[in-house]
Each structure stands twice: as structure tokens, then as C-alpha cells.
Amino acid sequence: MKKTFLIIGIVLGLNPLFGQEEDIDLTVDNSWLKAGITAGVPVSDAGDVSSFALGLDLRGQYLFNPNLGIGVATGYNNYFGKDNYDDFGIVLLAGFIRYYFTPDGLFFGSDLGYGFLTGVDDNEGGLYINPQIGYHNRDWNIYAYYQNTFAENDVDIQAVGIGATYNIRFK
């Protein structure tokens, strides 16, 4: 069921890209690469075996208009083990959408994709979601997030935290 929702989400999320009749013109005002870091506190199942999560975030974004952006996201989150548990990680691959209320100010958005687990036996990963709310300007994004990977064997790897990305212009 989770894989069905993932496929539907990806198809619906990418549909506007393929439905365009005009060529997309990438400029410094509508497209950029976002590179940053995240830090979070594991909760639920992950909180039982991990004390802290630290990650890298990389995104490519295109703005349809000044308020709506879509793109692809990837990254890696390392969950530091506590007590007698080892560290483990999640390699993220997702599409994302963001709504910007003003050119500088509040935004909200979400990632939807797949989280590939590393350092975990008998579990390859699962559906990944990452809603965010934050502040942005031309160069920076600072946000709060809730991240959940619905992994195999009824394991939910969740974290809440903060992140920051720097916008690198394509042209």
C-alpha cells in the first residue's frame, strides 16, 4: 500500500513538468541548487535506539512562479546510536514542492520519496515524507521539519529538527 501511494505521489508530482507545451527557461531567478545541513532528535522507534540525527541536504529547485517551486531532493541522515546500538543512516531520494508566501519570508513544503536504510539488517527502507515550515530569502532557507521513513517490518524512523540550506544559482 505504501508503495502504491509513493508511485501515485511521484506521478502526480511530476505531471506538471511533462504537461508543459513551452520550453522551460532556467534563469537565476527561477532555478537553483540548495545545499545544506539538518540536525534532529529521533522520536518514536528511532528514539529508542538513537540519540541524535545529523544530515546533508541537496536539492534542485525550479519555480513555476514566485510562489510555487518543485524539485528533486537527496541527502543522507546519520542516526547516532545510543546505549549498545550502532549508528545507522538513511539515503534520501525524493521529489518536493514548496509554497512561498512572499519573495522573502514564510514558506511551507514537503518531500515525498524513498528512504534507503544503511547499517540496518533485514530492512531496505521505505516511503519517506518530510513536511517543512520555515523562513527564506534570496540566499538562505532556515526551516523546521518532521521526517518519517515508513520502513519495512512496521518500523517508522522519525525525527524532528531544524535545517538550513544555501541557494547556489544555476546561471
Side-chain angles (χ1 to χ4, degrees), residues 65-135:
N65 60 49
N67 300 99
L68 185 62
I70 64 164
V72 294
T74 189
Y76 177 77
N77 289 332
N78 190 72
Y79 286 78
F80 295 92
K82 68 179 180 182
D83 299 329
N84 292 326
Y85 291 100
D86 292 332
D87 292 1
F88 64 94
I90 302 175
V91 176
L92 310 166
L93 182 59
F96 73 90
I97 187 166
R98 280 195 175 165
Y99 183 80
Y100 300 97
F101 291 94
T102 60
D104 288 345
L106 184 67
F107 76 86
F108 72 88
S110 187
D111 301 355
L112 177 64
Y114 196 86
F116 300 91
L117 293 179
T118 63
V120 177
D121 294 331
D122 300 326
N123 201 325
E124 294 184 12
L127 177 68
Y128 158 79
I129 61 167
N130 183 9
Q132 305 167 358
I133 185 167
Y135 172 82

Side-chain angles (χ1 to χ4, degrees), residues 41-52 79-83 85 88 156-159:
V41 177
V43 294
S44 189
D45 294 339
D48 295 339
V49 298
S50 176
S51 57
F52 188 70
Y79 286 78
F80 295 92
K82 68 179 180 182
D83 299 329
Y85 291 100
F88 64 94
D156 289 343
I157 301 171
Q158 302 173 43

Side-chain angles (χ1 to χ4, degrees), residues 51-74:
S51 57
F52 188 70
L54 187 63
L56 298 174
D57 189 16
L58 186 62
R59 300 166 179 274
Q61 178 176 286
Y62 172 76
L63 287 175
F64 279 106
N65 60 49
N67 300 99
L68 185 62
I70 64 164
V72 294
T74 189

Side-chain angles (χ1 to χ4, degrees), residues 28-39:
V28 296
D29 294 324
N30 70 7
S31 56
W32 47 85
L33 186 66
K34 298 172 177 286
I37 59 171
T38 60

